[in-house]
Amino acid sequence: MLINLLFQSPETFFAIFASLIVAVTIHEFAHAYTAERLGDPTPRHQGRLTLNPLAHLHPMGTLFILFTGFGWGRPVQFDPFNLDNPRRDAALISFAGPLSNIALASIASIILRFSLTPFSPLGFLYPFFFFLIRLNVVLAIFNLIPMHPLDGGKILVGLLPPKDAAAADLFMNRYGLIVLILLIFPILGGASPVSLFISPIVNFLVNIYVPSVAIF
C-alpha cells in the first residue's frame, strides 16, 4: 500500500503522491481544454478548465490510490451535442488525456537529465521526476486500453466504422466495467492480466525517458 511508505520512507511517499496529483491533474485538464477547443463549454461551466488539483481529484479515487495503489480522478464531462462531429471529437477529447501524460513525461525527462549534470541545483528532485515519468507513462498506456470507461474505449469508437462503432459502444457500456475489473484483478500468479500486457510497454518507454543511473 502506498500509505505504508509514509512511515517507511516519507520522501518516497511524497515524491510518488505529488507525481500522482500532477499526472491526474494534467490528464483531466487536457480533456477539459480539448473539449473547450472543440466547442463544448461544459467543462468550463463545471470548473474543470483549471490546473487546480482540487477540481480534478476524486475523493474516493484518491483514497483508493493511498490504500491500494490504484485509483482515479474525476471524469471530465462533455456534451456531444455541442460537438461538430460527436464521435470523432469524443475520441479526440479522450485521446488528449493520454497524450498530455506522454508530453509531461517527455518534459520531465528533459528536466531529469538536466538535474543530473554537474552542479545542477535540481539533483535532489531526481526521485520526484523519476516517479513523475513512470506514473505518467503508466497512466497514458493504461488509459489507452480500448474499453469503457477508459479513454481507449471512446478512441476505439471514434476509429471504427459507424455500424461497428455502435455495436462496440453498446457492448462496452454494458460490460466494459466488468471486463476492466477482471483485467486488473490479480488472477495470474499474483499479477493482473493488464499489468502483464502493459508492463513491457511501460518499461520500454521508461528506459528511454530515464537515464540508467540509480534512483537513490
Side-chain angles (χ1 to χ4, degrees):
M1 291 191 298
L2 179 59
I3 194 68
N4 290 340
L5 285 175
L6 180 60
F7 308 101
Q8 299 170 358
S9 177
E11 299 84 358
T12 303
F13 170 83
F14 285 112
I16 295 175
F17 193 57
S19 301
L20 280 167
I21 291 176
V22 172
V24 171
T25 298
I26 292 297
H27 182 99
E28 299 300 340
F29 171 78
H31 288 318
Y33 178 79
T34 305
E36 173 82 12
R37 295 287 295 178
L38 291 173
D40 181 21
T42 303
R44 174 163 45 86
H45 292 160
Q46 295 181 344
R48 305 301 302 278
L49 204 63
T50 175
L51 289 172
N52 183 351
L54 296 178
H56 303 295
L57 295 177
H58 190 286
M60 186 61 69
T62 304
L63 287 175
F64 263 70
I65 290 174
L66 288 172
F67 289 98
T68 70
F70 178 83
W72 59 91
R74 288 178 56 202
V76 170
Q77 298 177 343
F78 61 89
D79 187 347
F81 291 103
N82 290 327
L83 304 174
D84 291 336
N85 188 326
R87 196 160 59 88
R88 181 204 65 191
D89 292 349
L92 291 174
I93 293 170
S94 297
F95 183 62
L99 181 63
S100 71
N101 291 124
I102 292 299
L104 183 56
S106 301
I107 295 171
S109 177
I110 295 172
I111 299 174
L112 177 62
R113 292 172 187 277
F114 173 76
S115 74
L116 296 175
T117 59
F119 310 111
S120 170
L122 301 177
F124 73 100
L125 291 176
Y126 183 90
F128 169 73
F129 285 114
F130 171 81
F131 290 118
L132 185 64
I133 290 169
R134 184 167 186 86
L135 291 172
N136 271 280
V137 171
V138 169
L139 191 60
I141 302 304
F142 178 74
N143 272 281
L144 287 174
I145 295 173
M147 185 61 61
H148 292 341
L150 300 178
D151 297 325
K154 289 188 176 65
I155 296 172
L156 176 63
V157 170
L159 293 174
L160 291 173
K163 184 177 179 180
D164 295 331
D169 191 43
L170 179 62
F171 172 83
M172 288 188 288
N173 282 327
R174 287 180 176 175
Y175 307 111
L177 187 58
I178 297 173
V179 173
L180 185 59
I181 291 173
L182 292 175
L183 288 176
I184 64 178
F185 199 78
I187 58 176
L188 300 177
S192 65
V194 70
S195 68
L196 295 177
F197 174 72
I198 72 172
S199 289
I201 304 173
V202 169
N203 290 334
F204 173 77
L205 292 174
V206 170
N207 286 336
I208 293 175
Y209 282 130
V210 179
S212 298
V213 297
I215 302 176
F216 303 107

